[in-house]
Amino acid sequence: MIQHIDFNKGLDYALDFAKKLLAIKSPTGYTDAAVDYIEEELKRFGVQYKRTIKGAIYAIIEGERTDLTRVVSAHVDTLGAMVREIKPDGHLRLMNIGGFPMNNIEGENLYVITRTGKIISGTGLPNQASVHAFDDVGKKERSLEAFEMRLDIVTSSKEETKKAGIAVGDFVAFDPRTVETDTGFIKSRFLDDKICVALLMAELKELSTAQAKPAYTTIFFISNYEEVGHGLTSIPENAFELLAVDIGTVGGTQTSNEHAVTIMAKDGSTPYDYTLRKKLEDICIQEKISYETDVMYHYGSDASAFTRTARDIRFGCMGPGVHATHHYERTHKDALLATYKLLHHYLFSD
């Protein structure tokens, strides 16, 4: 194992990387720019990597044992939307990409990405937004049909909007509004899962700098279709263990919190492998890492989605506790540090 690792220094790198990655628009299906940014960093580390046909990327770190392979994953794709219709008044009707209600982006700055790459800003609003103009504002059901994007261009017709270069099928990204507070909180859209990508990159940086070998050859897989359920591909045939690093949901009756790493016992489709789950818990106990074991409700991960391939592989999931997931999310440095430590000790465990 790497001796005398400075986890706080690694976390500083992860936060800096995350802020830059969060600023790159990458709704599911439009992730090339974010993956390109990751690729440039992997080149700087000098690690071996590959791009998949679907546009994902993974780094390969040789381990002490090369006969078996571990896979750790995080996903770079985010929630987003797509232009479904240009309305007669020039505003846009959207279709969501990923699981969230439209009121989660009400009042947010949105960005249409045209086919030529031009970015046109706007705002997500209910069709009836003004209390001065409508009697029942706040009473209408928030739905796809009752939601629109008001564009920041001069348009009052479908024809004018089309002339500006906007078309049905254009991707729509959301303003992440990333803020780091002096109390140690990080607030942003898309902490799910870019903050976990950043933690994987911090570990990769540490491994490459120290020229250290984990216990097993390890694939660091950054997927790009997780939010719609088919992110993970290209798993080696000799892979025996898959660990998704994804956010723990804080709120309601969940046990996850913003100051600990969450170890998932079950999600919306399956229990996670108990042997791997117990290993993660044992590491936390031994290394005095703050953790919570939780049962996820409306939740899935790259690991649980991969079980549909019927591959004979252990699978687990862990990650920082994040409040208000799929909305304006928040976590704390405590949870990120705990996740980083668990990831590192896991990679060097038998």
Side-chain angles (χ1 to χ4, degrees):
M1 182 180 291
I2 302 172
Q3 299 298 316
H4 310 299
I5 180 170
D6 189 339
F7 286 109
N8 287 305
K9 183 178 179 181
L11 182 59
D12 288 342
Y13 165 84
L15 287 171
D16 181 67
F17 182 87
K19 289 171 187 175
K20 294 171 183 174
L21 187 61
L22 285 160
I24 300 173
K25 298 171 179 60
S26 59
T28 304
Y30 192 87
T31 57
D32 282 356
V35 175
D36 287 346
Y37 177 62
I38 292 167
E39 181 177 13
E40 288 305 309
E41 197 73 346
L42 294 177
K43 287 179 182 177
R44 193 169 72 86
F45 295 165
V47 302
Q48 182 184 356
Y49 70 88
K50 293 183 180 180
R51 296 278 289 254
T52 72
I53 293 172
K54 283 174 64 174
I57 191 167
Y58 61 93
I60 306 163
I61 300 295
E62 184 177 287
E64 295 292 346
R65 288 188 60 175
T66 58
D67 57 321
L68 294 174
T69 299
R70 274 180 172 151
V71 180
V72 293
S73 73
H75 67 90
V76 74
D77 61 309
T78 71
L79 303 176
M82 186 173 283
V83 177
R84 173 187 170 192
E85 177 190 350
I86 302 174
K87 300 171 68 174
D89 63 0
H91 294 188
L92 305 180
R93 180 168 286 135
L94 306 180
M95 176 70 78
N96 59 303
I97 297 174
F100 65 95
M102 298 310 286
N103 60 298
N104 277 18
I105 57 167
E106 191 172 301
E108 289 286 5
N109 292 318
L110 311 182
Y111 302 90
V112 179
I113 307 166
T114 71
R115 188 175 181 277
T116 62
K118 182 180 179 182
I119 307 294
I120 298 175
S121 66
T123 310
L125 294 168
N127 294 341
Q128 297 182 2
S130 173
V131 295
H132 297 103
F134 302 101
D135 293 329
D136 53 359
V137 171
K139 299 177 183 178
K140 291 284 188 181
E141 180 185 357
R142 297 300 194 257
S143 66
L144 283 170
E145 301 305 318
F147 185 89
E148 65 183 11
M149 180 177 177
R150 179 188 65 196
L151 294 164
D152 296 330
I153 57 173
V154 178
T155 178
S156 57
S157 69
K158 180 176 181 178
E159 290 71 27
E160 287 177 311
T161 295
K162 290 176 72 174
K163 189 175 180 180
I166 294 173
V168 169
D170 286 344
F171 285 93
V172 177
F174 313 153
D175 188 346
R177 294 193 291 130
T178 305
V179 174
E180 182 178 352
T181 74
D182 58 8
T183 53
F185 287 101
I186 296 89
K187 305 188 294 184
S188 183
R189 290 192 180 274
F190 316 134
L191 294 178
D192 176 14
D193 192 33
K194 289 184 175 181
I195 198 67
C196 295
V197 171
L199 293 173
L200 263 60
M201 295 298 288
E203 182 64 18
L204 275 166
K205 182 176 185 292
E206 198 67 51
L207 291 170
S208 63
T209 300
Q211 296 186 325
K213 290 186 176 183
Y216 298 89
T217 293
T218 303
I219 303 295
F220 287 72
F221 198 105
I222 310 300
S223 69
N224 62 333
Y225 279 93
E226 192 275 348
E227 291 293 357
V228 294
H230 57 94
L232 207 59
T233 56
S234 306
I235 300 300
E237 288 298 321
N238 68 342
F240 75 102
E241 209 162 68
L242 163 61
L243 178 64
V245 185
D246 211 332
I247 48 93
T249 56
V250 175
T253 59
Q254 303 292 152
T255 60
S256 302
N257 71 72
E258 294 172 89
H259 301 277
V261 58
T262 300
I263 298 170
M264 286 60 161
K266 183 186 182 303
D267 68 13
S269 65
T270 178
Y272 286 92
D273 180 85
Y274 184 65
T275 299
L276 179 51
R277 168 190 153 190
K278 190 173 183 297
K279 176 191 291 185
L280 297 173
E281 293 169 338
D282 287 345
I283 292 171
C284 288
I285 293 166
Q286 179 179 336
E287 301 296 333
K288 297 181 173 56
I289 299 169
S290 179
Y291 82 97
E292 297 287 350
T293 299
D294 208 350
V295 173
M296 302 292 105
Y297 185 40
H298 295 299
Y299 190 99
S301 72
D302 273 331
S304 58
F306 192 73
T307 62
R308 301 183 194 118
T309 66
R311 285 278 299 275
D312 185 19
I313 188 170
R314 285 201 292 266
F315 59 101
C317 185
M318 66 89 168
V322 175
H323 187 265
T325 54
H326 282 206
H327 204 293
Y328 187 45
E329 299 168 339
R330 190 185 77 169
T331 191
H332 194 275
K333 288 181 180 180
D334 292 346
L336 301 179
L337 192 59
T339 304
Y340 183 20
K341 288 180 178 180
L342 177 54
L343 173 65
H344 178 78
H345 287 292
Y346 162 73
L347 291 175
F348 286 90
S349 68
D350 292 329

